[in-house]
Amino acid sequence: MTTTTATASGTHTATPALPTEDAHLALRPLPAGQARITGGFWALRQERNGRDAIRSGYRQLEAAGNFRNLRIAAGDEQGEAVGPIFMDSDVTKWLEAVAWEYGRAPADDLLELQREVTALYGRAQADDGYLDSVQQVRGAGERYTDLEWSHELYCAGHLYQAAVAQHRATGDTGLLEIATENADHLVRTFGDGTAPDGTPKLHDIDGHPVVETGLVELYRETGTRAYLDLAHWFVDARGHGIIERAGGEPTYFSDRVPAREATTVEGHAVRAVYLAAGAVDVAIETGDTELLAASERQFADMQATKAFITGGLGARWDWEAFGDPYELPTDRGYAETCAAIGGIQWAWRLLLATGKPVYADAIERLLYNAFLPGVSLAGTEYFYVNPLQHRDAAHRDENRSPAHGRRGWFDCACCPPNIMRTFASLDGYLATTTDGGLQVHQYATADLGPVRVETGYPHDGRVVVTVTEDGPLALGLRIPAWSDTTTVTGAGGEADPAPGTLHVVEREWTAGDTVELRFDTTPHRYVADPRIDAARGQVAIERGPLVYAVEQADQQGFTVDDLTVDATAPITEERRDDLLDGVVTLRVSGSAPAQHEQPAWPYRRLDEPGGAGRAGHATIVVDAADPGDATTGLEAGSPVTATAVPYYAWANRGAAPMRVWLPLQR
């Protein structure tokens, strides 16, 4: 097929989730073009993402063989497909990033890349709309015969999201035409009733959800109700044994319990949160209150029992899965970057549906502490997993291990283009609107239609909001749950709103009126629920919205794993503009031996004095500054001061030892 284009507009676009006028919502995304990050913390990250990451992504996809798979499917080249079965999804996530970035910062080269790859998709698509390059090349004509693993509908979902982004951001219709032909093919193939040839439609679901969100967004863009109906069918089809009958393990595939009956998230973390986001999309557009209530219940249980202090999701390396309640290991926690992104998407949809500030708080935690650690400060190296503790040389046999440091790409490269599209569309997550109202949820230096925001957030708790238009406006300002005391001053007087609320100032405004917020960024130590075994007897430190970590690069004379900290000593702050793009470091009192015990048997009786261990259990002592120098004996811990940096910035000076949870002195 051909890929026709319209004149590219290059206007900045709203969030990728753009509900219809008839959707059942408490809040709406800002209109297209109304939200734009203009400076500060996030602007720097967006600049590097657009200038370096997205453009290098094209080269990475070429080197990894993603484009070649499409060329083989199109008949442009001969050969065998390479890489995982879901290689097309990496391309479409990248295409989505290109589109949002073009809307943010129009550039001719981006438009050329977009059109080149879109045309390649058009040539690869089958006459009946089917499109999955790896399956087309490897599958010998077979389709949908192994859906629990083949990711055919997963790839379709990402195609739809990219097509919608392209149409909204550039005006091009090429990928949208490809996507609608593919979606029409799915409508003819899946669900209840009969196909055009008179045979029953397939009662089957994909092992990896995301087609649900893609179909709903395609419905929102085109008005084709059949896409929404099919998304609703896919959501409700789960939990009824489809995958189990095909030989799959239902928990892993989010198929053990129907979505509207589930009380928690389980199985593969990314699959679970993508499905949840799609379920909320369906609930928003259909008014399905039962489905929405179930999703809120699942999110609340996830936050209470299955989220790391960073907001990270997914406890287990095995099967990239959620674990049992309170199973949140520090050094082997998985917390995949894609799961954080899916969590943001889910929380955003719940915020739109309900208006509850708890979801905006969750988005903030996920953004700063679960999503952002997954990419280097330079923007072009990535973490797939984000544990809360790293020991030197741990897990070096695993390609995705942080022990290797951040990497430019992965054999399973789902995370890098996912990060790219999130940065490029981040403006849309800052604020919402209602009739006569504007609600600011995330604080960044930005233009938000009737207001302008200026701030040094997240390192500085001062935010100034300037109204830019005359007239009435109900200005809503999220008061973060972490801020014990917040002052709001300016037009409308002075207030001291409660944490975790939306503070609304409603009045007749004059352009130039300002409201100043001052959040309490005092550092605090946190302890975990005692059922979280891995963190028992330890503390984590937060300052404002940021979780902190102690990284070896900042310590002298002791190793991170030997550190114990004082639970009561003051924590001091230091602004370091010369470090890690500018951070506030924290100095924490504690103790650590210059030499540490390494007994032959690392256990002792509780009533036995600490030290050498029982007779016959030899002990050596290792110089903490030089672990290669081992002698006999033991030196007691000495007072030390440890320096902590924001967790998101760790491993930008090499993947040295690091920990978020710090053992307490005894």
Side-chain angles (χ1 to χ4, degrees):
M1 65 173 288
T2 59
T3 54
T4 59
T5 60
T7 303
S9 60
T11 58
H12 195 79
T13 51
T15 176
L18 196 59
T20 63
E21 288 298 317
D22 296 328
H24 299 257
L25 297 170
L27 307 172
R28 288 193 171 276
L30 294 188
Q34 192 162 302
R36 182 173 183 81
I37 295 170
T38 57
F41 183 87
W42 288 114
L44 179 62
R45 307 311 296 271
Q46 283 190 317
E47 177 188 354
R48 291 172 178 170
N49 180 64
R51 183 191 63 210
D52 302 323
I54 290 176
R55 287 169 168 86
S56 70
Y58 177 86
R59 297 188 293 274
Q60 295 281 15
L61 290 164
E62 182 63 72
N66 301 67
F67 293 148
R68 185 169 183 270
N69 289 343
L70 286 161
R71 289 195 290 267
I72 295 170
D76 297 346
E77 294 185 18
Q78 300 296 315
E80 298 297 323
V82 299
I85 192 70
F86 44 82
M87 288 283 272
D88 283 3
S89 65
D90 297 339
V91 180
T92 45
K93 279 183 280 190
W94 174 81
L95 274 173
E96 184 181 347
V98 170
W100 297 131
E101 180 62 19
Y102 183 85
R104 194 189 73 83
D108 289 343
D109 68 314
L110 288 177
L111 206 58
E112 291 171 4
L113 292 176
Q114 170 187 289
R115 290 172 175 172
E116 172 194 326
V117 178
T118 296
L120 177 57
Y121 262 99
R123 296 197 301 276
Q125 187 169 35
D127 290 342
D128 65 351
Y130 181 86
L131 178 55
D132 186 299
S133 70
V134 179
Q135 185 68 16
Q136 286 168 270
V137 175
R138 289 181 185 164
E142 290 189 349
R143 301 176 180 180
Y144 311 127
T145 59
D146 188 26
L147 264 180
E148 63 267 29
W149 293 111
S150 69
H151 291 71
E152 289 162 274
L153 304 186
Y154 170 81
C155 289
H158 282 302
L159 168 65
Y160 304 160
Q161 291 175 323
V164 168
Q166 186 179 115
H167 188 239
R168 290 177 185 165
T170 74
D172 280 10
T173 62
L175 200 61
L176 188 65
E177 293 176 12
I178 295 167
T180 55
E181 288 195 20
N182 182 262
D184 291 342
H185 161 74
L186 294 191
V187 169
R188 295 192 299 268
T189 305
F190 291 91
D192 296 324
T194 57
D197 63 1
T199 61
K201 291 184 179 181
L202 296 179
H203 275 222
D204 213 342
I205 54 176
D206 198 286
H208 199 311
V210 91
V211 71
E212 300 83 2
T213 51
L215 281 166
V216 175
E217 212 59 46
L218 199 61
Y219 155 72
R220 290 165 173 167
E221 194 70 7
T222 65
T224 303
R225 176 74 190 202
Y227 304 157
L228 174 61
D229 292 341
L230 182 57
H232 206 165
W233 188 90
F234 280 136
V235 168
D236 277 338
R238 304 192 89 88
H240 298 286
I242 291 175
I243 285 179
E244 190 170 19
R245 286 192 293 272
E249 198 287 310
T251 301
Y252 172 79
F253 294 106
S254 296
D255 191 40
R256 188 180 67 85
V257 183
R260 63 184 65 247
E261 297 176 16
T263 59
T264 189
V265 287
E266 61 183 21
H268 188 278
V270 181
R271 284 168 164 84
V273 294
Y274 277 4
L275 174 62
V280 179
D281 273 331
V282 167
I284 285 172
E285 294 297 344
T286 63
D288 191 332
T289 56
E290 180 186 40
L291 192 58
L292 178 60
S295 192
E296 285 206 85
R297 182 172 64 243
Q298 294 155 24
F299 191 93
D301 187 79
M302 179 184 75
Q303 292 292 89
T305 69
K306 296 186 177 181
F308 291 95
I309 193 170
T310 58
L313 304 172
R316 298 178 181 175
W317 283 63
D318 292 339
W319 300 100
E320 302 181 321
F322 285 108
D324 295 328
Y326 307 104
E327 180 190 343
L328 295 165
T330 56
D331 53 351
R332 288 292 285 176
Y334 204 66
E336 182 180 337
T337 303
C338 282
I341 293 169
I344 291 166
Q345 294 173 353
W346 183 15
W348 174 249
R349 287 158 172 80
L350 286 172
L351 177 63
L352 296 179
T354 69
K356 297 177 182 178
V358 64
Y359 299 119
D361 280 337
I363 291 169
E364 179 178 76
R365 182 170 295 273
L366 284 159
L367 276 173
Y368 285 112
N369 305 298
F371 160 71
L372 198 55
V375 60
S376 66
L377 295 177
T380 52
E381 297 85 31
Y382 308 93
F383 275 155
Y384 193 106
V385 300
N386 296 279
L388 277 66
Q389 181 178 356
H390 172 63
R391 295 184 176 90
D392 211 14
H395 320 311
R396 288 194 183 276
D397 58 333
E398 170 61 55
N399 175 266
R400 285 167 274 180
S401 169
H404 297 284
R406 290 189 172 88
R407 304 179 73 115
W409 211 247
F410 300 98
D411 52 358
C412 173
C414 53
C415 295
N418 217 359
I419 290 170
M420 294 175 198
R421 67 174 181 151
T422 302
F423 271 131
S425 61
L426 186 60
D427 313 62
Y429 291 98
L430 300 183
T432 57
T433 185
T434 54
D435 290 340
L438 175 79
Q439 302 81 38
V440 183
H441 302 288
Q442 307 301 328
Y443 293 104
T445 297
D447 289 334
L448 301 174
V451 306
R452 183 175 65 252
V453 180
E454 295 175 291
T455 183
Y457 207 88
H459 303 303
D460 186 343
R462 179 174 178 266
V463 179
V464 177
V465 180
T466 302
V467 177
T468 59
E469 301 174 4
D470 295 339
L473 178 68
L475 177 60
L477 304 165
R478 179 179 64 93
I479 310 303
W482 51 258
S483 181
D484 290 347
T485 59
T486 299
T487 59
V488 182
T489 58
E494 183 171 335
D496 182 15
T501 62
L502 186 72
H503 177 68
V504 179
V505 183
E506 186 170 6
R507 66 187 297 272
E508 189 81 20
W509 300 85
T510 300
D513 285 347
T514 63
V515 176
E516 180 179 303
L517 300 95
R518 286 191 178 270
F519 300 123
D520 178 6
T521 59
T522 301
H524 293 283
R525 299 173 181 87
Y526 286 78
V527 296
D529 186 296
R531 289 168 287 187
I532 302 175
D533 295 322
R536 191 180 291 127
Q538 302 175 73
V539 294
I541 300 172
E542 293 186 14
R543 179 184 181 274
L546 301 178
V547 173
Y548 273 67
V550 173
E551 188 178 14
Q552 192 62 52
D554 301 302
Q555 321 311 323
Q556 294 183 348
F558 67 93
T559 61
V560 164
D561 278 337
D562 289 331
L563 175 68
T564 59
V565 297
D566 188 332
T568 60
I571 299 174
T572 60
E573 306 177 21
E574 182 182 4
R575 176 76 197 194
R576 290 285 304 277
D577 291 329
D578 62 330
L579 182 67
L580 301 169
D581 281 339
V583 296
V584 174
T585 62
L586 303 179
R587 294 177 69 79
V588 186
S589 296
S591 63
Q595 297 174 316
H596 66 249
E597 181 181 21
Q598 186 174 311
W601 182 245
Y603 309 98
R604 64 178 177 82
R605 293 175 178 170
L606 183 62
D607 58 2
E608 183 179 354
R614 300 189 67 199
H617 288 177
T619 300
I620 62 173
V621 169
V622 179
D623 186 330
D626 181 10
D629 179 17
T631 59
T632 61
L634 177 65
E635 180 176 315
S638 303
V640 297
T641 301
T643 299
V645 298
Y647 170 68
Y648 74 75
W650 91 277
N652 279 278
R653 297 165 290 177
M658 172 279 302
R659 61 188 303 154
V660 168
W661 287 103
L662 308 173
L664 289 170
Q665 290 178 345
R666 297 183 183 275

